[in-house]
Amino acid sequence: MVKKKFYLVTRLEIILIFFSMVILGLFFLAIGYKKEVIQSVFWLFIPFFLLLSILITLYFWVYLPYKTTNHILQLFSTGYTFESIIDKRCPINKEMEEVDCKLHSLLNTDQLMNASKRQAQFLALQNQINPHFLYNTLEGIRSEALIAGLTSVASMTEALSTFFRYTISNVENLVTLEQELENTRNYFFIQQFRFGTRLKLIVTLDEEDRNETMHYRIPKLTLQPIVENCIIHGLECKVGEGILRIHIETTQSRLLVTISDDGVGMEPSVLSNMNRSLSIRSLDYVRHDEVHVGIALVNVNNRIKLLFGEQYGLTVTSQAGVGTDVLIVLPRSVEEQPQK
């Protein structure tokens, strides 16, 4: 037998009906008592007890579930939860339940990741980037540079071609840590043509577990955007040499990657806004008509949470004039997940 579901609106309607009946009964009892049809005052107290019972029922049966649902709605509107916008035990009404089911399907991780991949492919088309044409052109430039004896130009062209090949081609979710590190080193190599010896990159990890660690799978383009953010907002503004460190370590169940720079750091207010943005999962980062500090970090953080869950993501610590640390928390994953 299917249990009938009482929505909050239905419960309120039932209570209002009983309330109206009690008020009407009290009115007739009062008239009867006034005309001395009813002799005992005791009969007048019965409606008052019924009213008290109705108020108690209203509190526990309607008000408390409403408060719970209202709290969930507030969490949803601020981005702190994407699970459900209503109390599953007692939806407000049938339409609200249907809206919740629709939103739940729209916010499904698989669909969001597919939308993210489609967006990446669309942006590539929008920018009229033909990968094969780009690679062939860069290879042509490299060949001409080698013939002319311009080895530095040839090296930079080759690095740029490799970087674009990794970034544009095969828009997938997960790659090995080794692949991501190689792409990051390649990006840093390109930056060194601009900054020279001003920038240094140091990668550290436990050498005993190096082989296993390098095969852990992480979201594609996780490290490079953060390294780019550190260079642009931390080291580029610094006078003198700057050091960028990538430290990799593991726990029993997690992969921890810390990207640090000794750049200009962040003011407390900027850091507070940054961590607030990282604590709220939203899709605002896909808007490319606005540029603001930290969009790369928000992008990476959202993709990690979509793939692995809310317990993973980024944490930023910084001190003005000292530098910035970005901690990336990921699960230890060596199995390639099904493509989404």
Side-chain angles (χ1 to χ4, degrees):
M1 182 178 180
V2 180
K3 186 177 180 181
K4 183 176 177 59
K5 181 180 292 186
F6 287 99
Y7 298 103
L8 282 180
V9 171
T10 307
R11 295 182 179 187
L12 187 60
E13 290 173 348
I14 293 173
I15 289 177
L16 287 176
I17 291 172
F18 276 102
F19 181 80
S20 302
M21 292 173 61
V22 171
I23 293 296
L24 186 62
L26 180 61
F27 175 75
F28 283 116
L29 285 173
I31 293 178
Y33 182 79
K34 185 176 181 181
K35 292 183 177 181
E36 297 184 351
V37 175
I38 299 175
Q39 301 294 329
S40 175
V41 184
F42 172 76
W43 290 100
L44 296 178
F45 285 101
I46 294 178
F48 286 108
F49 284 116
L50 291 175
L51 285 175
L52 181 61
S53 300
I54 289 174
L55 290 176
I56 294 173
T57 304
L58 179 67
Y59 179 79
F60 288 102
W61 208 42
V62 177
Y63 179 74
L64 289 183
Y66 169 76
K67 289 288 289 184
T68 302
T69 301
N70 187 56
H71 179 64
I72 295 173
L73 285 170
Q74 289 176 346
L75 291 177
F76 183 87
S77 65
T78 54
Y80 280 98
T81 179
F82 274 64
E83 294 302 320
S84 177
I85 60 169
I86 60 172
D87 185 355
K88 289 294 185 182
R89 294 168 298 177
C90 185
I92 293 178
N93 53 31
K94 187 176 185 295
E95 291 72 21
M96 192 69 174
E97 187 177 39
E98 291 174 352
V99 168
D100 177 71
C101 293
K102 181 64 176 177
L103 278 174
H104 187 72
S105 64
L106 289 175
L107 293 173
N108 182 273
T109 298
D110 291 351
Q111 293 185 16
L112 280 176
M113 291 311 303
N114 285 331
S116 179
K117 289 166 65 175
R118 284 195 298 270
Q119 184 195 32
Q121 294 163 346
F122 170 76
L123 289 176
L125 291 174
Q126 187 182 50
N127 294 324
Q128 297 181 345
I129 296 175
N130 184 316
H132 294 292
F133 172 76
L134 178 64
Y135 304 148
N136 293 337
T137 302
L138 290 173
E139 184 59 31
I141 295 173
R142 177 176 174 272
S143 298
E144 291 294 325
L146 285 173
I147 293 173
L150 303 174
T151 55
S152 61
V153 175
S155 298
M156 185 176 183
T157 305
E158 183 180 14
L160 186 61
S161 176
T162 303
F163 177 76
F164 277 133
R165 190 182 299 273
Y166 180 86
T167 304
I168 299 173
S169 299
N170 300 322
V171 185
E172 301 298 342
N173 292 337
L174 300 178
V175 295
T176 64
L177 177 59
E178 184 176 21
Q179 290 174 311
E180 187 66 14
L181 274 174
E182 183 62 29
N183 180 64
T184 302
R185 286 194 180 98
N186 193 51
Y187 168 79
F188 190 80
F189 177 73
I190 296 172
Q191 289 291 350
Q192 282 188 309
F193 280 94
R194 177 186 174 193
F195 293 99
T197 57
R198 271 190 59 196
L199 295 185
K200 292 182 180 178
L201 175 64
I202 300 174
V203 180
T204 58
L205 71 159
D206 189 349
E207 292 297 332
E208 292 183 2
D209 300 326
R210 182 184 183 88
N211 187 53
E212 180 182 357
T213 302
M214 285 298 176
H215 286 85
Y216 289 140
R217 304 189 69 80
I218 70 174
K220 185 178 181 180
L221 295 177
T222 294
L223 305 184
Q224 181 271 325
I226 299 176
V227 168
E228 181 177 4
N229 196 79
C230 289
I231 292 175
I232 294 174
H233 301 293
L235 298 175
E236 185 176 349
C237 307
K238 179 184 178 181
V239 178
E241 292 186 352
I243 299 177
L244 190 65
R245 290 184 172 85
I246 301 177
H247 178 66
I248 303 166
E249 57 184 323
T250 59
T251 65
Q252 188 173 2
S253 60
R254 297 188 176 188
L255 171 65
L256 308 176
V257 181
T258 304
I259 301 178
S260 307
D261 69 73
D262 59 354
V264 296
M266 300 182 194
E267 295 295 333
S269 58
V270 177
L271 179 62
S272 177
N273 290 333
M274 170 68 68
N275 284 315
R276 187 180 301 111
S277 298
L278 294 176
S279 68
I280 300 175
R281 181 148 61 101
S282 71
L283 300 181
D284 291 340
Y285 70 89
V286 301
R287 296 178 57 188
H288 52 279
D289 56 338
E290 298 179 2
V291 179
H292 59 278
V293 177
I295 190 171
L297 274 65
V298 173
N299 186 318
V300 172
N301 184 63
N302 276 318
R303 287 191 289 117
I304 290 174
K305 290 182 180 298
L306 280 171
L307 279 170
F308 301 118
E310 294 294 330
Q311 67 270 40
Y312 302 102
L314 306 186
T315 303
V316 180
T317 56
S318 183
Q319 186 174 346
V322 177
T324 301
D325 294 344
V326 180
L327 173 63
I328 310 171
V329 181
L330 296 158
R332 287 175 56 172
S333 173
V334 292
E335 296 289 334
E336 183 172 4
Q337 295 186 0
Q339 297 302 324
K340 306 197 175 200

